[in-house]
């Protein structure tokens, strides 16, 4: 199918569920070389995997030479463990415990030599410094892999990104080769659902690519082509003084099709849009201009499920863009309307990127952006009743029968891993990698040109996301983030403080290691890289062990609604509920009577209804105590309102637009 089609009621309901359960995408943050504090581009990614039990291994694919006539297989990469079973790809992907080798969808001619790289679901960073961040996006077309009865296509973004890692030393090369292979073999998204209920919310892909050779940054958008086959794609070079934010929607808008230095694209890139009436050259001032997102981005139809689907998608993408721009380039961010949203036909839309002051954006700023919950803004997820008494910013998925929205934070409780790549030349590109949610991880350095893989704990088979293991590096980070749910505002600052201390130490160590390596790298470049690899692996393994010890210290200190400082008679204190929360009618603490409602009053109409029966003394309502009861109720209602608006220093919002949770 080229575009949308009418679907059954059941399919519509599934499509509504897809907004919450399928389109669980990731966030890209990228920084051009002139905006970067290091004079080198940065690109980050958060693997916000939702209900998928990701393969959590960080795998090293080694550099290899291939025999003439060799073929390179393309797999339908499994998001679950194991993502690939192929010893030829990497020893770390070799079969264990009776695993069967992955079945290829297709083959392409192999090149004589391929680069080594770090690998997850997607290729991350190679030895030449090519670095990639990913975000699943919306589109007007859908496609499926050829191993399904209704699929025609053989190239998913997972394998496309890995091919780019294996063959390219520039971002431009990566965009071109991914696009070419997608057109030839057909592109599919792993999040396209089924033909009966196609998930346009996750049917395309956005990548941002950085390189060390030219210090360039490129955005790459790709979708399935006409009749669910081939591919349509575009790539745009980002100005070197700009920062980029991608939140599950295309960011390439006005393309100058005659500017081949700054734009790349598939053959006949406008044809399908013109044929389907999604775009017309008459909309543009010049025949060379084509608006890619306007033409091919997806907007929910009026009959979409849920009824507020358009609002969800618009805020889900747009708010993150606004927030990243505001954090990394405050002057430019202040020019943007945080409520504009981001849809294909949005009037005066957000730019694809914004300028930032020269060399102003640091690694720490990008890491902290990934840890953000809109703190200090009207959209602050650590405030209000939904955050509970202890400021928990995490919002789970709703019952689909209830219409509403949560804010979509940058930091997500369901993140499997995140990273920030710095594409520095001369073998000094670094992947800063952290497991589980960014607000409770430690970002640690791994060199793109590493001479061996990460410590065993990073690619062990002894445990998975679904199987606990003390020997797997993901688990202590996941454990601590889960333990922080007990009292987020109390525990998470302790966790984050320790994480930042380790990260600051790691940044200083990287400087020291590279200085030491510089003394002998000209005589022995491989020896210098061996040393850097050994040092970074040692730090990762030490931190892994330390994080487990830290986890148990948190268990002993924050338990049983107490804080345990020491074993003395005065060594403990209570974790207390705050007054604003206790005084809310939603809680029921101040409205307890013998008759109830000890369970709380969930909304104002019920509170008013309660006025006929509430007796604070618990002795029963009478005409003689009606006035004091009414006064007490009004006081409680006032506390209710204060509790509702607690923490919103910029004022309560009356338009109810502060909440969404599709990812």
């Amino acid at each position: 199918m080229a575009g949308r089609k009418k679907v059954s009621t059941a399919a519509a309901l599934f499509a509504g569920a897809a907004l919450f359960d399928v389109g669980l995408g990731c966030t890209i943050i990228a920084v051009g070389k002139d905006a970067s504090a290091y004079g080198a581009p940065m690109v980050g990614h958060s693997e916000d995997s939702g209900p998928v039990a990701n393969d959590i291994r960080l795998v090293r694919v080694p550099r290899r030479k291939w025999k003439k006539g060799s073929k390179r297989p393309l797999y339908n990469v499994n998001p679950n463990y194991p993502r690939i079973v192929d010893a030829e790809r990497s020893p770390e992907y070799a079969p264990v415990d009776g695993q069967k080798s992955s079945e290829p969808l297709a083959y392409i001619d192999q090149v004589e030599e391929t680069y080594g790289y770090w690998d997850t679901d997607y290729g991350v960073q190679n030895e030449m410094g090519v670095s990639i961040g990913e975000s699943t996006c919306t589109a007007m077309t859908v496609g499926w892999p050829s191993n399904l009865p209704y699929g025609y296509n053989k190239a998913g973004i997972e394998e496309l990104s890995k091919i780019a890692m294996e063959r390219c030393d520039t971002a431009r090369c990566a965009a071109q080769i991914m696009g070419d292979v997608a057109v030839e073999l057909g592109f599919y998204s792993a999040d396209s659902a089924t033909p009966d209920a196609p998930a346009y919310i996750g049917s395309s892909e956005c990548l941002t690519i950085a390189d060390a050779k030219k210090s360039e940054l490129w955005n790459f958008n790709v979708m399935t082509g006409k009749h669910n086959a081939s591919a349509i794609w575009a790539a745009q070079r980002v100005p070197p003084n700009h920062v980029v934010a991608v939140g599950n929607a295309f960011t390439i808008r006005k393309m100058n099709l005659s500017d081949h230095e700054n734009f790349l694209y598939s053959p006949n890139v406008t044809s399908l849009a013109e044929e389907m009436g999604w775009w017309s050259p008459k909309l543009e001032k010049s025949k060379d201009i084509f608006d890619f997102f306007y033409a091919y981005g997806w907007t929910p139809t009026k009959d979409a499920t849920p009824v507020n689907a358009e609002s969800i998608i618009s805020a889900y993408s747009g708010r993150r863009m606004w927030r990243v721009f505001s954090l990394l380039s405050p002057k430019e961010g202040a020019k943007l309307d945080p409520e504009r949203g981001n849809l294909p036909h949005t009037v005066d839309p957000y730019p694809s990127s914004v300028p930032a002051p020269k060399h102003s954006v640091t690694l720490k700023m990008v890491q902290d952006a990934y840890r953000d919950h809109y703190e200090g803004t009207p959209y602050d997820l650590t405030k209000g009743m939904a955050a509970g008494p202890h400021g928990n910013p995490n919002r789970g998925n709703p019952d689909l029968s209830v219409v509403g929205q949560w804010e979509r934070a940058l930091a997500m409780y369901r993140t499997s891993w995140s990273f920030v790549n710095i594409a520095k030349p001369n073998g000094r590109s670094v992947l800063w990698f952290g497991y589980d949610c960014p607000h409770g991880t430690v970002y640690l350095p791994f060199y793109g040109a590493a001479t061996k893989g990460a410590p065993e704990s990073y690619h062990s088979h002894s445990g998975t996301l679904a199987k606990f293991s003390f020997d797997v590096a993901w688990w202590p980070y996941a454990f601590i983030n889960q333990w922080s749910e007990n009292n987020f505002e109390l525990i998470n600052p302790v966790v984050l403080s320790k994480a930042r201390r380790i990260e600051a130490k790691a940044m200083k160590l990287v400087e020291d290691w590279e200085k030491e390596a510089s003394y002998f790298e000209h005589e022995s470049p491989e020896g210098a890289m061996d040393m850097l690899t050994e040092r970074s692996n040692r730090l990762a393994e030490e931190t892994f062990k330390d994080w487990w010890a830290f986890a148990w210290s948190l268990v002993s200190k924050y338990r049983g609604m107490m804080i345990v400082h020491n074993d003395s008679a005065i060594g403990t204190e209570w974790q207390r509920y705050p007054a604003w929360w206790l005084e809310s009618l939603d809680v029921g603490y101040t409205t307890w009577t013998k008759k109830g409602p000890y369970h709380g009053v969930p909304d104002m109409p019920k509170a008013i209804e309660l006025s006929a029966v509430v007796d604070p003394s618990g002795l029963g309502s009478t005409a003689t105590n009606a006035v004091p009861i009414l006064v007490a109720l009004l006081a409680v209602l006032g506390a209710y309102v204060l509790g509702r608006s607690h923490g919103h220093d910029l004022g309560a919002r009356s338009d109810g637009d502060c909440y969404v949770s599709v990812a």
Side-chain angles (χ1 to χ4, degrees), residues 467-485:
K467 178 184 176 183
F468 177 82
S469 173
F470 285 111
D471 300 322
V472 171
W474 183 81
W475 271 105
Y477 298 99
F479 182 92
I480 286 179
N481 272 331
Q482 193 64 37
W483 193 257
S484 298
E485 295 278 316

Side-chain angles (χ1 to χ4, degrees), residues 8 40 148 377:
S8 66
L148 297 176
T377 77

Side-chain angles (χ1 to χ4, degrees), residues 345-513:
H345 299 173
T346 298
V347 178
D348 189 21
Y350 292 139
S352 299
S353 58
V354 300
K358 188 172 184 178
H359 300 325
S360 62
V361 183
T362 65
L363 172 63
K364 182 179 182 298
M365 290 169 66
V366 180
Q367 292 169 340
D368 285 348
Y370 275 116
R371 289 165 165 150
D372 186 73
H373 314 97
Y374 303 111
E375 283 88 348
T377 77
Y379 321 107
D380 191 340
L381 284 162
T382 68
K383 306 299 181 184
M385 288 302 294
H390 302 309
N392 191 331
N394 299 326
R395 302 287 187 273
N397 279 12
D399 184 314
L400 294 176
S401 67
V402 180
V403 176
Q405 295 180 218
W406 296 124
E407 280 297 337
R408 201 293 195 186
L410 286 158
M412 292 299 286
Y413 60 92
R414 51 180 166 70
T415 300
S416 295
W417 62 80
S418 58
F419 58 77
V420 182
N421 288 310
I422 306 180
K424 296 191 293 184
N426 304 317
R428 297 298 178 263
S429 295
V430 180
L431 157 67
W432 291 86
F433 185 89
Y435 274 128
D436 208 65
C437 182
H439 63 218
T441 197
V442 180
Y443 288 105
L444 296 171
F446 297 88
Y447 282 90
T451 55
K452 64 179 181 179
E456 175 68 20
S457 58
Y458 279 76
H459 54 86
S460 172
H461 295 275
S462 65
T464 66
L465 188 147
K467 178 184 176 183
F468 177 82
S469 173
F470 285 111
D471 300 322
V472 171
W474 183 81
W475 271 105
Y477 298 99
F479 182 92
I480 286 179
N481 272 331
Q482 193 64 37
W483 193 257
S484 298
E485 295 278 316
N486 291 320
N487 190 324
F488 190 88
E489 67 180 357
L490 183 65
I491 301 173
N492 182 255
V494 177
V495 175
L496 199 51
S497 176
K498 182 176 177 67
R500 285 176 170 150
R501 288 196 304 272
I502 295 172
E503 289 165 354
K505 174 186 174 183
M507 292 176 198
K508 179 62 168 61
L509 285 173
V510 166
E511 291 181 10
D512 294 344
W513 298 340

Side-chain angles (χ1 to χ4, degrees), residues 16-293:
L19 287 173
F20 297 95
D21 297 328
V22 176
L24 295 164
C26 312
T27 305
I28 299 170
I29 301 174
V31 183
K33 72 177 183 67
D34 292 344
S36 165
Y38 317 101
M42 295 186 278
V43 60
H45 164 84
S46 58
E47 182 69 11
D48 303 333
S49 51
V52 176
N54 274 120
D55 185 335
I56 50 179
R57 292 176 294 166
L58 176 63
V59 167
R60 186 68 186 177
V61 176
R63 185 184 186 111
R64 280 204 60 176
K65 292 184 178 181
W66 302 91
K67 293 180 180 180
K68 188 175 181 179
S70 295
K71 297 291 185 178
R72 199 278 188 194
L74 280 79
Y75 300 115
N76 185 1
V77 176
N78 186 6
N80 309 92
Y81 171 85
R83 69 173 71 100
I84 292 173
V85 181
D86 182 356
E88 194 172 45
R89 181 75 60 89
S90 169
E92 295 171 20
Y93 281 139
V96 297
D97 300 329
Q99 292 174 347
K100 295 183 179 180
S101 295
S102 299
E103 291 289 335
L105 296 177
Y107 293 90
I108 58 175
D109 291 339
Q110 185 59 281
V111 294
E112 291 183 4
E113 188 169 14
T114 51
Y115 297 124
Y117 60 98
W118 292 111
D119 195 31
T120 56
D121 287 356
Y122 317 99
V124 178
Q125 184 182 72
N126 75 8
E127 61 182 282
M128 304 306 292
V130 173
S131 307
I132 288 178
E134 179 274 348
S135 183
T136 300
C137 293
T138 71
M140 296 289 281
T141 63
V142 286
W144 295 276
S146 60
N147 63 334
L148 297 176
Y150 43 81
Y152 311 126
N153 304 307
K154 299 176 180 179
I157 200 64
E158 298 83 359
E159 285 285 63
L160 291 176
S161 68
K162 299 176 200 301
I163 291 169
M165 289 284 142
E166 293 162 9
R167 302 185 179 198
C168 290
D169 60 0
T170 68
R172 185 186 186 97
C173 164
Q176 188 69 59
I177 197 169
M178 288 190 293
D180 290 346
V181 174
V183 168
E184 179 182 353
L185 297 182
F187 170 80
Y188 67 88
S189 167
D191 297 313
S192 289
T194 66
D196 288 339
Y200 298 99
I201 189 176
S203 64
S204 67
E205 285 288 346
C206 301
L207 302 181
T208 302
I209 316 160
D211 72 60
K213 185 175 182 178
K214 293 187 175 181
S215 295
E216 290 186 345
L217 202 61
W218 285 75
N219 281 329
F220 174 80
N221 296 172
V222 62
M223 56 187 273
T224 306
K226 186 176 180 178
H227 301 312
N228 311 109
S230 191
I232 299 168
W233 65 273
Q236 178 180 17
R237 181 159 57 179
V238 178
N241 64 328
H242 278 217
V243 295
V244 172
V246 184
N248 306 120
F250 291 151
T251 56
I252 298 176
R253 285 193 174 266
K254 300 286 186 179
M255 301 176 63
N256 184 342
L257 300 181
S258 63
D259 180 1
H260 302 297
E261 287 298 310
N262 292 298
F263 295 96
L264 302 170
Y265 47 87
S266 54
N268 304 313
V269 68
T270 69
S271 297
L272 183 61
E274 294 181 72
E275 178 184 332
M276 298 300 296
W278 298 334
W279 173 87
S280 169
K282 296 178 181 179
L283 295 171
E284 310 300 345
K285 295 180 179 179
S286 166
K287 63 181 178 60
D288 293 326
I289 302 302
F290 173 58
D291 193 326
F292 191 87
F293 186 29

Side-chain angles (χ1 to χ4, degrees), residues 60 214 316 351 373 380 484 491 523 526 547 579 585 611 615 620:
R60 186 68 186 177
K214 293 187 175 181
Y316 192 72
H373 314 97
D380 191 340
S484 298
I491 301 173
E523 292 77 16
E526 186 174 343
W547 216 244
L585 291 184
S611 64
D615 174 9

Side-chain angles (χ1 to χ4, degrees), residues 294-313:
Y294 182 98
Y296 292 128
W298 177 68
T299 298
T301 57
K302 297 298 182 182
D303 59 349
T305 303
V307 295
N308 62 334
E310 182 172 327
S311 172
I312 290 173
I313 299 301

